[in-house]
Amino acid sequence: MISRTLQPVIEQKFFNGKVIILLGSRQVGKTTLMEQIKTTLAPTALPVVLLNCDEPNDRELLTNANSADLSMALRDAKTVIIDEAQRVPNIGITVKLLVDKFKNMQIVVTGSSSLELASNLNEPLTGRKFEYLLLPISTEEIIRHSGMLETMRLLESRLLWGSYPDILYQKESAKELLFELTNSYLFKDIFAMQEVRKPELLEKLLVALALQIGQEVSFNELSQIVQSDIKTVERYINLLEQCFVIFRLNGLNRNLRTELKKGKKFYFYDNGVRNAVLQNFSPLNLRQDVGALWENFFVSERLKYNLYHRRFVKSYFWRTQQQQEIDLVEETDGVFYAFELKWNEKRKATFHEIFLNTYNPKEANVVTPKNYTQFLS
C-alpha cells in the first residue's frame, strides 16, 4: 500500500471540532486513504460509519435528514464518513446539523465534484472545516514507497499511463483500466449535471484541450473547433475543472505592457487521462508530443507537491507578445521561482533578461528527466 502524503496532515486535524472535506476525482484513492487513517487512529476513531451517497438509501437518509433518524443511524459512531457527498442536495445543512448535534464526532465529507459541494458547504460550514484535495499518486509518494531508482525507471510509464493508484503498477491492464476510468468514472458527475446537454461536445472539447497542452488557449478558437458558442465552451471547461479533470495556469502580467493580459493554458491532472482522451499510448520514441507530455507531467506533479505541503503559491506561465516565455513561474509572498522544462537536457534553456530584470526570481531552474525529482520531494 502506497502511503499518501496527506495522511498525517489530515490525521492531525481529527477531533478538532471541524469537518474534514476531502476532494478528488473518482478512483483517486479517497476511500482507501480514509481506511488507512481509520487503521492508524483506531480505536480513537472507532466505530466508523460510512455513508455512500451513490447508494439510494444513504442518499435518502441525508437528503431528508432529521435529528431522530440521524441519531438512530449513527448511534455511538465516533467517525462518520460521507462519501460522494455532492450527490446529496443541501448537504451543507445536513452536515451542519451533524456538527451541532454530535459535538464529539469527527465528520469527514468526500466528493469527486467541487462544483456542488462548494456551493452547498461553504456558507453553512464557514470557519468550521478543513479542506484538502487528493490527486493521483505523486512522485514523492512513489519515492517513499519504491525508492529513487524505481521512481526514475517509472518515468516513461507515468508519462504514458499516468499515476492513478489502480493503473500505476498494472501496466498489462493499464489501457483497459484507463478507458474505463475515463468513460465511466471521471465523467459520471459531469454527465449527471443538467448543464451538460451535449456529451459529444464535451468529448470534442477534451480532445481539443489535450492537443494544446503547453500552448496558450483561446476560447474563441476552441469554440470554432468544437462548433459551439463561447459561453458553452467556458461553462464546460469550468465543469471539467470542478470535477478535477483539468486545471489552468494564467499568464503572469504585472509590469510589462508586452505581457499577455488574458493568456491561459490548460493541463490534465493526469497524463494517462490525457492520452486516453486522444486514444494514443504509443511509446515515447514514436511520438511527436513528448515535450507536451513532459510539461503536463511536471506542472501537475509540482501542483501536487505544493498542495500536499500546504505551500500556498500562485502558479503562472510567462509569455510576451514577442513569444519570449517561461513554462512555469511560482510566486510566494512576492518572491518568484522560475522553471524551464526540457525533456532533452542537451537543448539549451535560457531565461530572458527581460524576465530576470523585471521579476528578479530567487531561483531560475532548468528541469530535466535527470533532476526533476529534486523539485518534487
Side-chain angles (χ1 to χ4, degrees), residues 54-115:
D54 281 331
E55 296 292 334
N57 290 339
D58 289 349
R59 190 163 63 244
E60 179 70 17
L61 170 67
L62 295 169
T63 299
N64 302 306
N66 60 69
S67 297
D69 289 344
L70 290 173
S71 296
M72 179 65 68
L74 304 180
R75 298 179 181 172
D76 299 323
K78 291 185 178 180
T79 304
V80 172
I81 300 174
I82 303 174
D83 200 20
E84 300 301 343
Q86 77 277 352
R87 303 271 285 152
V88 179
N90 300 314
I91 184 62
I93 302 299
T94 301
V95 174
K96 184 177 184 297
L97 178 63
L98 289 172
V99 173
D100 292 339
K101 182 170 181 61
F102 303 99
K103 301 292 185 182
N104 298 318
M105 178 187 293
Q106 178 60 61
I107 300 169
V108 180
V109 177
T110 79
S112 55
S113 166
S114 66
L115 184 66

Side-chain angles (χ1 to χ4, degrees), residues 124-141:
L125 298 179
T126 299
R128 309 174 78 175
K129 61 183 174 67
F130 296 111
E131 187 172 306
Y132 303 95
L133 175 60
L134 187 67
L135 296 169
I137 303 296
S138 71
T139 296
E140 183 174 44
E141 289 164 343

Side-chain angles (χ1 to χ4, degrees), residues 301-331:
E301 287 298 308
R302 185 69 181 179
L303 172 66
K304 296 175 192 178
Y305 177 80
N306 289 332
L307 281 173
Y308 292 169
H309 290 279
R310 317 308 285 169
R311 299 183 71 247
F312 301 103
V313 307
K314 296 178 181 178
S315 298
Y316 310 92
F317 70 95
W318 180 78
R319 182 177 293 169
T320 67
Q321 294 172 8
Q322 290 75 35
Q323 302 303 308
Q324 300 161 323
E325 61 180 310
I326 294 175
D327 295 320
L328 177 63
V329 179
E330 294 178 354
E331 180 186 6

Side-chain angles (χ1 to χ4, degrees), residues 16 37 39 50-51 68-69 72 100 110-111 134 172 215 232 238 251 264 277 293-295 313 317 337 342 352:
N16 279 322
I37 290 175
T39 301
L50 173 63
L51 299 173
D69 289 344
M72 179 65 68
D100 292 339
T110 79
L134 187 67
E172 67 282 354
Q215 302 176 35
T232 299
N238 184 56
K264 62 187 71 65
V277 166
L293 289 176
W294 171 241
E295 184 170 336
V313 307
F317 70 95
Y337 301 81
K342 297 295 182 185
H352 296 280

